[in-house]
């Protein structure tokens, strides 16, 4: 995507307490300062954003009552530019246990979330994602934190927190995490499925929640997680 990003502003707010974001990504560069964005939204100056830092850790940054918190996967670095990573981020603030309100899965495995500014949303807390504000993929609105690489099979689920098993499975022979190209999920009002088989930003979920290329050129590549 280099200096390219995608953008969409929902016409109405969806479920801001419970949702799922799933995508397959392949990095072209590492150690990019200050960060590279995968997905996010912000309401006023208050963000919810998933990104790689300059040291190649993965961070979910979210605002709680005017304070930014960083939910970090600190026990692994994302520096393989030859492999596809499958990332699933779920949010469900209706959960009574704080640590159950944000979960991140990498290649099917739930990750341990840490960080010096670790903080989970309060019960029933509503954030910027799935509000009727600008949502971006591949950059953070108003900044130049572009993702440089490939993305494929991006799903957003409005109203349900799905784990990674809906979007992939472990190959019984090779042990490799492989893609489910047609997951059985309920997308909800603002849910979408883009970049299914190429560089189309037309929603394949049936909701017509299409994205727009916000800048640059979205290039099609035959390198993809579904072979």
């Amino acid at each position: 995507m280099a200096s390219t990003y995608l953008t969409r502003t929902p016409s109405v707010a969806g479920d801001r307490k419970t949702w799922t974001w799933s995508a397959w990504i392949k990095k072209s560069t590492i150690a990019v300062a200050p960060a590279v964005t995968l997905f996010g939204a912000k309401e006023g100056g208050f963000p919810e954003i998933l990104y790689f830092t300059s040291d190649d850790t993965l961070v979910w940054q979210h605002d709680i009552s005017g304070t930014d918190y960083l939910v970090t996967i600190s026990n692994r670095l994302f520096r393989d530019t030859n492999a596809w990573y499958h990332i699933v981020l779920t949010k469900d603030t209706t959960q009574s246990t704080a640590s159950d309100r944000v979960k991140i899965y990498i290649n099917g495995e739930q990750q341990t979330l840490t960080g010096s500014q670790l903080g989970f949303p309060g019960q029933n807390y509503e954030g910027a994602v799935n509000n009727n504000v600008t949502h971006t993929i591949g950059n953070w609105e108003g900044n130049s934190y572009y993702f440089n690489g490939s993305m494929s099979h991006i799903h957003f689920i409005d109203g349900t927190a799905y784990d990674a098993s809906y979007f992939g499975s472990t190959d019984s022979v090779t042990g490799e995490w492989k893609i489910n190209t047609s997951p059985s999920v309920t997308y909800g009002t603002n849910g979408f499925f883009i970049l299914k088989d190429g560089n189309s930003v037309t929603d394949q979920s049936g909701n017509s929640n299409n994205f727009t290329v916000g800048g640059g050129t979205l290039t099609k590549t035959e390198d993809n997680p579904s072979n």
Side-chain angles (χ1 to χ4, degrees):
M1 287 186 173
S3 60
T4 304
Y5 67 99
L6 309 180
T7 181
R8 177 179 179 268
T9 302
S11 58
V12 297
D15 191 333
R16 296 165 58 193
K17 300 176 184 178
T18 307
W19 48 260
T20 305
W21 188 83
S22 169
W24 290 75
I25 69 103
K26 186 176 184 180
K27 300 178 74 176
S28 294
T29 56
I30 62 173
V32 177
V36 291
T37 305
L38 296 177
F39 164 73
K42 64 179 180 179
E43 184 177 5
F46 303 145
E48 286 192 300
I49 180 173
L50 182 67
Y51 62 91
F52 291 111
T53 65
S54 59
D55 62 0
D56 299 305
T57 56
L58 183 65
V59 173
W60 170 247
Q61 179 179 339
H62 60 111
D63 179 86
I64 303 175
S65 301
T67 301
D68 285 333
Y69 289 87
L70 308 180
V71 177
T72 305
I73 300 175
S74 60
N75 62 343
R76 68 184 300 170
L77 302 177
F78 296 82
R79 290 178 174 166
D80 190 344
T81 57
N82 295 309
W84 285 88
Y85 294 106
H86 180 222
I87 301 174
V88 176
L89 167 64
T90 68
K91 177 181 175 181
D92 185 0
T93 64
T94 66
Q95 296 294 319
S96 58
T97 302
S99 59
D100 288 338
R101 295 171 196 157
V102 177
K103 297 178 181 180
I104 299 176
Y105 302 83
I106 306 296
N107 295 340
E109 296 183 358
Q110 186 175 344
Q111 303 297 293
T112 300
L113 305 180
T114 58
S116 59
Q117 294 174 254
L118 180 66
F120 294 100
Q123 191 166 23
N124 296 315
Y125 186 84
E126 296 183 326
V129 168
N130 219 10
N131 200 0
N132 56 331
V133 296
T134 300
H135 290 57
T136 53
I137 295 173
N139 190 30
W140 184 8
E141 183 191 9
N143 295 278
S144 297
Y145 302 158
Y146 298 107
F147 174 75
N148 193 352
S150 299
M151 294 189 183
S152 185
H153 288 253
I154 301 178
H155 300 269
F156 181 77
I157 313 299
D158 177 357
T160 308
Y162 290 110
D163 63 39
S165 66
Y166 285 84
F167 307 98
S169 61
T170 302
D171 189 288
S172 59
V173 177
T174 65
E176 183 180 16
W177 184 252
K178 61 183 183 180
I179 192 171
N180 178 2
T181 57
S182 300
S184 179
V185 296
T186 301
Y187 284 94
T189 301
N190 286 329
F192 59 80
F193 178 12
I194 61 171
L195 301 183
K196 180 179 182 181
D197 292 307
N199 61 339
S200 173
V201 295
T202 300
D203 180 19
Q204 302 296 310
S205 74
N207 282 345
S208 298
N209 292 329
N210 304 326
F211 271 71
T212 300
V213 178
T217 302
L218 190 63
T219 304
K220 182 178 180 179
T221 174
E222 297 304 319
D223 184 5
N224 63 81
S226 56
N227 197 27

